């Protein structure tokens, strides 16, 4: 791939917000800020890993990006053009799709494998004859390591890893440019996880795919990602190249996550200083003022509670949101 093509963002997200109204009293609602001002871009052929604790808004980012949820605010751009109107969304969904987390609930138990994979083809009428449809389905099954005799069977007859392959084949049906992978291996055995991750790598190389890879396992994310973004309580707190964020995390929250990664070398493991966070994640309904991480941060000052830190470029390509980022990383 040419350098100029990799520099051009395929997907841009600008100040994305997704608020859900929650009933808190008689006829009174309060916004739950699941995603609150997230911005990033993904270049063609790149994998951006998105990590964070459960409930931080990772999945909501992916679903809102694909317009499965209507954004409360912000803008989504595909190849430089905003995705706004119904026609924009229809065209965007031909080139952007999703692999869901749970391979057990994301497949219709009443449909055969052939019909599950062929459903996007049917919706967008992207075949000329039944024979062409079947040929496309069998080709997709072959790409993800399924046999043609599986086509007439039902999802409940397969293992978790095979079901996730069916879901991946369905996501590839319209030859997309961009795939949101929403924790696609978290429900699978460790041995199967490696097979599926390697398959994502191979498909990316063969088809020129671009991924937003959502996960809570930092080792998995590091293996597949070019860059990694870290989220906390609906906001992005750090973004950098995968190697850079693993070797030199800047934000206190990212440092805590990285300190929890198991080390195979006993000497390194003994030298590793585990940073244990106190308390629980605050509710998005009652988020703390200023920096969302300040209630669990050992370095928080009065300034952290007074104002939201700017998400800024600390060094080339390395972004972070922390008032004390310079003092903590001298």
């Amino acid at each position: 791939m040419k350098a100029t093509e990799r520099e051009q963002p395929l997907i841009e997200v600008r100040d994305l917000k997704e608020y859900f109204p929650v009933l808190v009293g008689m006829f009174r609602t309060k916004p739950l800020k699941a995603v609150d001002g997230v911005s990033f871009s993904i270049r063609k052929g790149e994998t951006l890993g998105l990590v964070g604790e459960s409930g931080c808004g990772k999945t909501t980012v992916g679903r809102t990006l694909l317009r499965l949820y209507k954004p409360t605010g912000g803008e989504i751009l595909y190849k430089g053009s905003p995705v706004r109107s119904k026609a924009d969304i229809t065209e965007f969904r031909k080139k952007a799709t999703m692999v869901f987390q749970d391979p057990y609930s994301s497949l219709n138990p009443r449909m055969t494998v052939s019909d599950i994979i062929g459903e996007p083809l049917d919706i967008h009428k992207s075949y000329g004859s039944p024979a062409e449809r079947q040929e496309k389905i069998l080709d997709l099954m072959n790409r993800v390591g399924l046999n043609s005799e599986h086509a007439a069977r039902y999802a409940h007859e397969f293992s978790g890893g095979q079901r996730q392959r069916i879901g991946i084949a369905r996501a590839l049906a319209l030859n997309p440019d961009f795939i949101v992978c929403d924790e696609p291996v978290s429900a699978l055995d460790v041995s199967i996880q490696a097979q599926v991750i390697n398959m994502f790598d191979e498909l990316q190389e063969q088809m020129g795919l671009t991924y937003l890879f959502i996960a809570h396992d930092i080792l998995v994310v590091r293996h597949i990602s070019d860059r990694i973004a870290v989220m906390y309580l609906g906001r992005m707190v750090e973004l950098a190249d995968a190697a850079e964020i693993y070797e030199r995390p800047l934000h206190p929250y990212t440092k805590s996550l990285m300190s929890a990664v198991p080390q195979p070398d006993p000497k390194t493991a003994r030298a590793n200083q585990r940073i244990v966070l106190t308390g629980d994640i605050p509710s998005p309904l009652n988020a703390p003022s200023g920096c969302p991480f300040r209630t669990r941060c050992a370095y928080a000052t009065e300034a952290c509670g007074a104002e939201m830190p700017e998400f800024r470029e600390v060094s080339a390509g390395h972004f972070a949101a922390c008032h004390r980022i310079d003092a903590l990383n001298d």
Side-chain angles (χ1 to χ4, degrees):
M1 185 177 293
K2 295 178 182 177
T4 51
E5 289 178 341
R6 286 190 63 85
E7 289 165 9
Q8 172 65 44
L10 182 75
I11 299 287
E12 289 181 80
V13 173
R14 298 176 181 172
D15 197 29
L16 188 67
K17 295 182 174 70
E18 187 59 68
Y19 300 168
F20 299 106
V22 176
L23 196 65
V24 293
M26 187 68 73
F27 309 116
R28 191 163 62 90
T29 62
K30 189 175 182 180
L32 187 153
K33 299 180 179 181
V35 178
D36 193 17
V38 167
S39 300
F40 59 87
S41 63
I42 312 176
R43 297 184 294 271
K44 184 173 175 59
E46 181 187 35
T47 299
L48 176 67
L50 188 59
V51 300
E53 292 172 273
S54 295
C56 72
K58 307 184 298 294
T59 293
T60 305
V61 167
R63 290 179 177 238
T64 306
L65 199 164
L66 292 181
R67 296 298 298 257
L68 299 180
Y69 299 146
K70 184 179 179 182
T72 304
E75 196 164 42
I76 298 155
L77 292 89
Y78 172 65
K79 291 185 176 178
S81 301
V83 181
R84 291 177 186 151
S85 67
K86 191 173 180 180
D88 293 338
I89 295 168
T90 300
E91 287 304 309
F92 179 53
R93 284 181 180 163
K94 290 179 182 178
K95 289 298 179 183
T97 185
M98 191 167 194
V99 175
F100 295 92
Q101 176 178 359
D102 187 358
Y104 294 89
S105 63
S106 61
L107 304 179
N108 190 330
R110 295 184 176 88
M111 295 171 71
T112 63
V113 170
S114 178
D115 287 336
I116 289 170
I117 297 172
E119 190 174 20
L121 301 173
D122 298 335
I123 290 169
H124 294 281
K125 300 178 175 60
S126 57
Y127 56 86
S129 66
E132 184 185 344
R133 176 183 183 271
Q134 190 64 13
E135 185 182 340
K136 285 187 175 185
I137 290 168
L138 294 178
D139 178 60
L140 289 163
M141 291 178 68
N142 182 58
R143 277 183 184 273
V144 299
L146 295 170
N147 298 324
S148 57
E149 52 264 31
H150 291 153
R153 291 164 64 181
Y154 292 86
H156 69 84
E157 299 177 58
F158 296 90
S159 66
Q162 287 174 315
R163 291 185 198 198
Q164 196 59 290
R165 289 173 188 268
I166 296 167
I168 294 167
R170 176 178 60 186
L172 297 173
L174 296 173
N175 195 26
D177 291 332
F178 175 64
I179 300 179
V180 173
C181 306
D182 181 19
E183 305 218 29
V185 297
S186 63
L188 308 178
D189 293 339
V190 175
S191 58
I192 306 301
Q193 285 185 7
Q195 294 175 20
V196 174
I197 290 294
N198 290 336
M199 185 174 66
F200 274 117
D201 277 336
E202 289 165 10
L203 290 169
Q204 184 172 45
E205 192 173 324
Q206 292 166 10
M207 303 175 70
L209 295 169
T210 303
Y211 297 136
L212 174 64
F213 197 93
I214 299 167
H216 60 265
D217 188 331
I218 295 174
L219 287 176
V220 169
V221 171
R222 187 195 181 196
H223 176 78
I224 197 171
S225 302
D226 298 299
R227 290 185 300 147
I228 295 175
V230 182
M231 279 190 71
Y232 183 83
L233 206 64
R235 288 187 168 269
M236 199 170 283
V237 297
E238 192 160 358
L239 170 66
D241 287 344
E244 168 83 3
I245 211 166
Y246 197 88
E247 301 295 335
R248 188 174 161 266
L250 298 179
H251 195 279
Y253 177 60
T254 312
K255 289 181 180 183
S256 174
L257 291 182
M258 294 303 170
S259 75
V261 175
Q263 300 290 340
D265 180 15
K267 289 184 180 178
T268 309
R270 280 194 292 270
N272 184 42
Q273 295 295 315
R274 176 78 171 91
I275 302 170
V276 181
L277 298 178
T278 57
D280 296 321
I281 303 178
S283 167
L285 269 177
N286 297 292
S289 61
C291 175
F293 184 61
R294 69 177 178 82
T295 57
R296 303 174 74 193
C297 181
Y299 311 102
T301 63
E302 286 186 13
C304 300
E307 188 180 3
M308 184 75 69
E310 179 191 0
F311 189 68
R312 64 184 178 89
E313 192 168 16
V314 181
S315 59
H318 198 150
F319 298 80
C322 177
H323 288 302
R324 305 197 61 202
I325 206 80
D326 297 322
L328 299 177
N329 296 280
D330 285 338

